[in-house]
Amino acid sequence: MPVKETIVSTCRTLVEKGYLMATGGNVSMRIPGRQAFAVTPSNFDYLKMTPDDVCVLDFNLQILEGMLKPSVEAAMHCAIYETRGDVNAIIHTHQVYTSALTLIKAPIPALFDEQVRFLGRSVDIIPYAPSGTGFLKNQVAKSVKNHHNAYMMQNHGALVFGSDMDRALDNVEVLEKCALAYLLSLCSERDVTKIPLAVREIAFSKLRSDQKKIEKRVTELLKNSEKSEDK
């Protein structure tokens, strides 16, 4: 499925599952072989969105396609793609349980094998910065260098990555499961157990191995595209 159509389909799925509400959040995808990405428009009803409404920007944030204003978080998405060559899809939501943890600044430790395998060693809190600002873009770009695939932005919401959109969508659901389980555990006021350190590191090494393969593929696609343009 082409990039714009994939974004529209993903947004509808996220709305149906309750992860996107009203016009909050944003979704993007890297354009294969180009220094560009597609992103949802600003303040637009996801259920009314069509592929033509999706914006395409280069890494200088110049609009290449689309008549609507791109998401106010476009610069943040761009910074992630520039920082993380393994990321091909980004989903930012205000999903409820994850957002609740951002309010109490409670990072999620390594609770489950699946969590570490796909999200990373932990789900960290990115310090607060106002939405749509350079401050937030810089905070995010600095924080995502640890190669995790899910983060919580303080007093804001979830930020989730994937090697493709299907993986990013799955990671949104893994994150919300972990957030709910952790919230309930905290409410019990009992000690929260974690998976053994050795298991955590094995699972994370598998994630990093996958990421390195994706990053290599992205780099090769870009080089081949540049060679074709030079001919």
Side-chain angles (χ1 to χ4, degrees):
M1 188 185 297
V3 168
K4 291 183 179 182
E5 283 81 355
T6 299
I7 288 177
V8 171
S9 173
T10 299
C11 288
R12 290 182 182 277
T13 299
L14 288 165
V15 169
E16 290 167 0
K17 293 190 174 186
Y19 297 122
L20 285 180
M21 288 152 275
T23 60
N26 28 77
V27 177
S28 73
M29 286 184 71
R30 188 190 296 270
I31 305 294
R34 295 170 62 188
Q35 296 275 27
F37 64 103
V39 65
T40 48
S42 178
N43 196 33
F44 199 89
D45 187 332
Y46 293 110
L47 295 181
K48 295 179 180 178
M49 189 184 302
T50 70
D52 289 339
D53 297 319
V54 176
C55 309
V56 176
L57 285 69
D58 64 20
F59 281 4
N60 294 316
L61 300 181
Q62 297 298 309
I63 298 176
L64 305 178
E65 298 176 27
M67 301 297 292
L68 299 175
K69 180 181 177 182
S71 167
V72 296
E73 306 291 9
M76 178 185 76
H77 286 252
C78 182
I80 294 165
Y81 289 124
E82 290 186 298
T83 303
R84 292 277 301 273
D86 60 290
V87 173
N88 287 317
I90 300 169
I91 298 175
H92 163 47
T93 74
H94 301 158
Q95 56 200 73
V96 176
Y97 298 117
T98 300
S99 296
L101 289 176
T102 76
L103 302 179
I104 59 174
K105 295 196 290 185
I108 306 174
L111 305 176
F112 306 104
D113 296 355
E114 179 190 27
Q115 172 196 345
V116 180
R117 177 65 180 84
F118 295 111
L119 304 186
R121 288 188 175 103
S122 59
V123 183
D124 300 329
I125 302 287
I126 297 176
Y128 176 78
S131 301
T133 65
F135 297 108
L136 180 59
K137 180 198 77 171
N138 293 335
Q139 286 277 29
V140 168
K142 180 172 63 176
S143 299
V144 303
K145 291 179 181 179
N146 63 4
H147 294 285
H148 293 177
N149 276 343
Y151 302 85
M152 298 183 289
M153 296 186 285
Q154 184 184 338
N155 293 79
H156 193 162
L159 186 60
V160 180
F161 309 152
S163 55
D164 55 36
M165 190 58 83
D166 286 341
R167 184 65 256 168
L169 186 55
D170 285 348
N171 286 347
V172 166
E173 300 200 81
V174 172
L175 173 59
E176 194 71 341
K177 180 199 92 167
C178 294
L180 175 55
Y182 192 46
L183 274 170
L184 293 174
S185 299
L186 292 175
C187 290
S188 76
E189 298 185 349
R190 298 180 63 177
D191 290 340
V192 178
T193 62
K194 308 172 188 66
I195 63 173
L197 180 61
V199 175
R200 188 195 75 176
E201 291 306 308
I202 290 170
F204 185 67
S205 69
K206 291 179 180 178
L207 174 61
R208 285 295 293 128
S209 177
D210 291 344
Q211 290 175 340
K212 289 173 183 177
K213 291 175 184 176
I214 296 298
E215 188 169 1
K216 183 179 179 181
R217 196 179 309 158
V218 167
T219 301
E220 288 174 350
L221 276 173
L222 188 58
K223 286 182 178 178
N224 290 338
S225 177
E226 289 172 348
K227 286 179 182 178
S228 298
E229 291 176 2
D230 291 340
K231 289 181 180 179

